[in-house]
Amino acid sequence: MTAQPSLSRRAAAELVGTAGLLVVVIGSGLKAAELSRDTGVALIANSLASAIGLGLIITLFGPLSGAHLNPVVTLTSWWTRRIGGEGLGGREALVYTAAQSVGAIGGALLADVMFGRTPGTFATQVRDGGHLLIGEVVATAGLVLLIQGLGRIGRPRLIPAAVAAYIAAAIWFTSSGSFANPAGTVGRSFSDSFTGIAPESLPGFVGAQLVGGILGLALAALLYGTGRGGGRTAKPASAPAPEPEPEPEPVEATVPAALPETGPADGASPEKAAYETIG
């Protein structure tokens, strides 16, 4: 089994990965707004680029840090460990969250520089209203439920594609546009662009995302149980034991006694998942 990378390497992966995500989200939004005055066309381009970029980043950095890229995902991982599952310790969660926040701001600044804009100009797009906050709760709860659910049914390798597809859809089916990421939301406030959010809208959005994370965890526990494989159906204890097969009569061997023994058909035990992404 490969040794887990050091915390510093994992933090670097979270920082670079989150920065890359913000470059993709903001950069594709800037490019889309340049090429089309139609908001719908721009949103299609932005959502597709964001989903593809997110899937690639998770695939690349997942084996290093789990590619959380999101404080809500990190906090749900920490909580899962507290209740006896696999996840991050408290110190690791704090380091991850700090790295994600720094990376998000750095990615936003880099995206503006790439497009010849003044970096660090705060967004002016106010996003307020209860309906938008409900959209953020739904978007974040769905994301956490997806990550937790796939992990608990033993299918974590599907997470990169599944999360990318979910985000592409949630950008369209939620009223808020599915920010669903406190670090990413803060980063997007540093770019006055198509995908930006004014600083005064941050408290409501971040609060809604935290509520959504808690709701996602509760739904995962309800549907799948509190541990890995908790949703699988156990064999009833009262099931009768099968009748033993009668032993065949001994037959004279026709092969050399020194023939080596063979192992299981598959030759190996199942490997542990390449990374734990919880979210």
Side-chain angles (χ1 to χ4, degrees), residues 14-20 22 98-108:
E14 287 295 304
L15 189 153
V16 174
T18 310
L22 268 291
Q100 292 156 1
S101 301
V102 172
I105 295 172

Side-chain angles (χ1 to χ4, degrees), residues 13 16 37 112 134 174 186 241:
V16 174
R37 294 180 179 272
D112 275 344
I134 292 173
T174 62
V186 171

Side-chain angles (χ1 to χ4, degrees), residues 62-130:
L64 288 174
S65 66
H68 293 189
L69 315 175
N70 184 335
V72 167
V73 176
T74 294
L75 289 173
T76 56
S77 175
W78 167 76
W79 178 254
T80 300
R81 178 167 175 172
R82 280 182 60 87
I83 60 175
E86 296 182 6
L88 297 178
R91 178 170 173 267
E92 292 172 307
L94 288 174
V95 172
Y96 268 47
T97 300
Q100 292 156 1
S101 301
V102 172
I105 295 172
L109 299 179
L110 177 57
D112 275 344
V113 169
M114 280 200 308
F115 283 86
R117 298 162 59 89
T118 303
T121 302
F122 287 115
T124 56
Q125 187 171 352
V126 176
R127 301 175 188 261
D128 56 14

